[in-house]
Amino acid sequence: MAEGRTDNKPADGAESHDPAFPEAFLTFMRQGWRDTALPVGPRPEVPNYAKRRAALSAAFPGETLVIPTGGEKVRANDTAYPFRPGSDFVYLTGDHEPDSVLVLRPNGSGHDATLYMRPRSSRQNDEFFRSRHGELWLGRRHTLTEKSTELGLPTADLTELEAALADLAPGRTRVLRGFDARVDAAVRPYDGPRAQGQPARDWELAVTIAEQKLVKDEWEISQLQDAIDATVRGFEDVARVLPADRGVSERLLEGVFALRARHDGNDVGYGSIVGAGEHATILHWVHNNGSTRPGELLLMDMGVENRNLYTADVTRVLPVNGRFTPLQRQVYDVVHRAQQAGIDVIRPGVKFHDVHLTCMRALTEGLADLGLLPVSVDEAMDEKSTIYRRWTLHGFGHMLGIDVHDCSDARKEKYRDGVLGEGYVLTVEPGLYFQPEDELVPEELRGIGVRIEDDILVTATGAVNLSAGLPRGADEVETWLAEQREAGPRLPG
């Protein structure tokens, strides 16, 4: 990585090993730079962000709302992880830059919104080439005017934020905490006391935003479809390099999918799970340090996050040598039936928990067919027992959107104990997992893990499978895998 230094004074991330710059060089660098303007215009989704802010404003009349995006996180010493904006912040603004803060101030009839941001490096000082936030280090940033034009939102210099937060009304301020220490410190005196047992004020703000996210608008659905389509291409890429007759590392397959995610989107939406053989029984296997083996199954749970940060979440299980064994197919078919049963009952007004019970009953019936249940299906399903969960482990799915586990701050009565609504997008992902150490299952089942996951849109008439571009039935999976292998490897483009 490049090294640089302003002068002998530490400044903006300068390290002790950085060189000093002589005055002649500094003088020379301050000359001869042409000004440029970015050709920006309003982004087409600007009205969507405005509607979301208006809905949030209506929920908190007369209160100041502070929503930071957060800053870069240290990866090691003086290097940072790639920045990904805070989900609630980007949901309300569309801004992807670090350190920005959205402030909504009451104006009597609603709220005035201001985006505080780090503007383009000034040519009036040496920041553009001396600072590690400068233009020659990180590239051209927007000016305040450019950003305002692009997002349809008034902007202000980030250096003005402290003064803007200095006159907040005590007890009339809500802030999403934990994203920006400066903001947390600035607003702490204005939070006001809360009654014993009441949640922190920022919790109420987070809940409100999460529950707004439950219903996806038309633009959001298109973004999810974009991410899912890229994910389908990523699974195809992986299938095309998966040998049938020899092992390859899980990390090779992870990397092939990651190439597609970075090319067609922003990145992967979460750490890819690539579980070969018995690794498929570990729900969040992200080490990916094993290898495939012909005759075993390969479970891949992966999703592309698109350029507007909406993510897919899809799981498929492939027979490495191209064909399921009779026992593998029996387990796979149980999971497939359970998933289809869950998808079939999805429609507006159906309880989230009822979809769960539908999937779980189908899995439990399959466990009975495999001869694993020590009691009847009804007894296993009884809420005082649920012994079937030894092999199912998790629920049927979760909401999906700008987070892979979207709307996670919503109240139980609106989510897990609530009903589905038109415009909801959720995953349906039942699974069966037989651990290698499980002595309550026959030896031939140990180490088999199967999960099938798709991304489902709730419409007025039922469910639409947004990830139907990838086959699910065992026969179709075998045919698809053979077709991908015949097509051969490809590069995104």
Side-chain angles (χ1 to χ4, degrees):
M1 295 182 67
E3 296 181 1
R5 169 72 180 203
T6 60
D7 50 27
N8 289 324
K9 298 178 181 178
D12 206 1
E15 304 290 343
S16 60
H17 62 272
D18 293 340
F21 292 143
E23 189 59 37
F25 172 76
L26 297 176
T27 300
F28 187 66
M29 284 295 289
R30 294 163 186 159
Q31 305 172 23
W33 299 100
R34 183 180 70 252
D35 195 21
T36 60
L38 291 179
V40 299
R43 284 161 49 177
E45 67 271 21
V46 161
N48 302 66
Y49 297 122
K51 288 179 183 177
R52 297 169 195 168
R53 293 194 299 272
L56 188 63
S57 171
F60 298 101
E63 299 189 72
T64 299
L65 310 178
V66 183
I67 300 99
T69 188
E72 293 179 327
K73 303 299 182 184
V74 174
R75 180 182 183 275
N77 191 24
D78 59 350
T79 61
Y81 288 104
F83 178 73
R84 199 274 194 188
S87 296
D88 291 343
F89 172 87
V90 78
Y91 175 78
L92 295 166
T93 67
D95 182 40
H96 289 200
E97 296 301 316
D99 302 319
S100 300
V101 180
L102 173 67
V103 178
L104 301 176
R105 283 183 172 273
N107 60 14
S109 60
H111 286 78
D112 292 322
T114 303
L115 177 65
Y116 290 86
M117 55 170 281
R118 190 186 295 274
R120 182 186 182 187
S121 306
S122 172
R123 296 300 173 93
Q124 304 304 310
N125 56 43
D126 297 344
E127 180 193 2
F128 74 101
F129 71 92
R130 297 174 69 174
S131 167
R132 290 186 175 176
H133 290 290
E135 198 166 295
L136 300 191
W137 286 84
L138 299 180
R140 171 77 151 80
R141 293 197 302 269
H142 287 66
T143 65
L144 296 176
T145 300
E146 290 166 347
K147 183 67 74 173
S148 182
T149 298
E150 185 177 70
L151 299 181
L153 184 61
T155 56
D157 195 309
L158 188 62
T159 59
E160 300 173 12
L161 178 63
E162 184 176 356
L165 297 178
D167 62 346
L168 298 175
R172 302 296 292 171
T173 299
R174 299 178 185 267
V175 59
L176 286 181
R177 293 199 181 283
F179 290 90
D180 191 312
R182 300 164 309 156
V183 174
D184 288 355
V187 302
R188 188 173 294 117
Y190 306 100
D191 274 337
R194 63 178 187 270
Q196 185 176 2
Q198 291 297 310
R201 297 175 68 78
D202 64 291
W203 181 87
E204 297 174 44
L205 179 55
V207 165
T208 300
I209 297 173
E211 293 177 0
Q212 279 186 220
K213 290 180 184 176
L214 285 167
V215 177
K216 270 60 181 179
D217 59 36
E218 185 176 349
W219 180 80
E220 288 182 286
I221 293 168
S222 72
Q223 295 306 302
L224 283 165
Q225 189 66 71
D226 176 60
I228 292 164
D229 291 346
T231 299
V232 170
R233 295 190 291 272
F235 271 88
E236 292 172 348
D237 295 339
V238 171
R240 292 179 180 207
V241 301
L242 175 64
D245 58 351
R246 61 183 176 85
V248 293
S249 71
E250 294 168 346
R251 288 192 181 181
L252 171 67
L253 307 179
E254 175 190 2
V256 169
F257 185 84
L259 173 60
R260 175 64 65 177
R262 283 292 285 163
H263 183 274
D264 290 11
N266 177 59
D267 208 331
V268 293
Y270 52 94
S272 294
I273 297 168
V274 182
E278 64 185 37
H279 289 163
T281 67
I282 302 171
L283 297 186
H284 284 179
W285 175 257
V286 293
H287 301 295
N288 299 342
N289 57 9
S291 296
T292 63
R293 286 187 291 271
E296 294 187 341
L297 299 179
L298 170 67
L299 183 153
M300 296 179 291
D301 185 335
M302 306 184 294
V304 172
E305 178 182 79
N306 85 340
R307 292 188 173 93
N308 286 311
L309 308 185
Y310 285 80
T311 187
D313 184 5
V314 177
T315 305
R316 289 294 185 268
V317 172
L318 306 180
V320 173
N321 66 7
R323 296 287 180 184
F324 292 99
T325 68
L327 183 60
Q328 289 170 348
R329 179 180 282 263
Q330 184 179 3
V331 175
Y332 188 94
D333 287 347
V334 169
V335 176
H336 184 213
R337 286 196 300 271
Q339 190 203 30
Q340 189 60 53
I343 293 172
D344 287 345
V345 301
I346 289 176
R347 64 185 183 275
V350 169
K351 292 180 179 179
F352 185 91
H353 187 61
D354 285 348
V355 182
H356 170 79
L357 291 177
T358 299
C359 290
M360 295 305 111
R361 174 163 285 276
L363 291 178
T364 305
E365 291 170 349
L367 290 168
D369 293 340
L370 287 165
L372 300 182
L373 289 183
V375 297
S376 70
V377 170
D378 286 341
E379 289 174 299
M381 288 289 297
D382 189 283
E383 62 181 12
K384 295 180 181 178
S385 168
T386 68
I387 63 171
Y388 68 88
R389 295 192 69 135
R390 179 184 179 101
W391 300 292
T392 66
L393 296 180
H394 57 80
F396 84 89
H398 53 80
M399 298 299 169
L400 184 71
I402 206 165
D403 281 313
V404 66
H405 296 142
D406 207 32
C407 313
S408 58
D409 286 324
R411 291 168 292 174
K412 281 185 181 181
E413 56 266 34
K414 292 290 187 177
Y415 191 161
R416 191 179 72 183
D417 296 338
V419 299
L420 301 178
E422 185 176 354
Y424 284 28
V425 177
L426 65 159
T427 68
V428 180
E429 52 171 320
L432 287 177
Y433 311 92
F434 302 113
Q435 305 303 321
E437 307 85 7
D438 191 344
E439 296 186 347
L440 297 187
V441 300
E443 185 175 357
E444 60 269 23
L445 274 176
R446 297 172 194 167
I448 292 179
V450 174
R451 177 167 67 253
I452 308 172
E453 179 179 21
D454 284 275
D455 303 337
I456 307 300
L457 169 66
V458 183
T459 71
T461 56
V464 173
N465 185 355
L466 301 178
S467 48
L470 285 175
R472 294 183 292 136
D475 289 340
E476 291 77 15
V477 167
E478 291 178 345
T479 300
W480 173 85
L481 180 55
E483 291 172 347
Q484 299 308 313
R485 283 171 164 162
E486 183 178 356
R490 68 179 175 191
L491 287 173

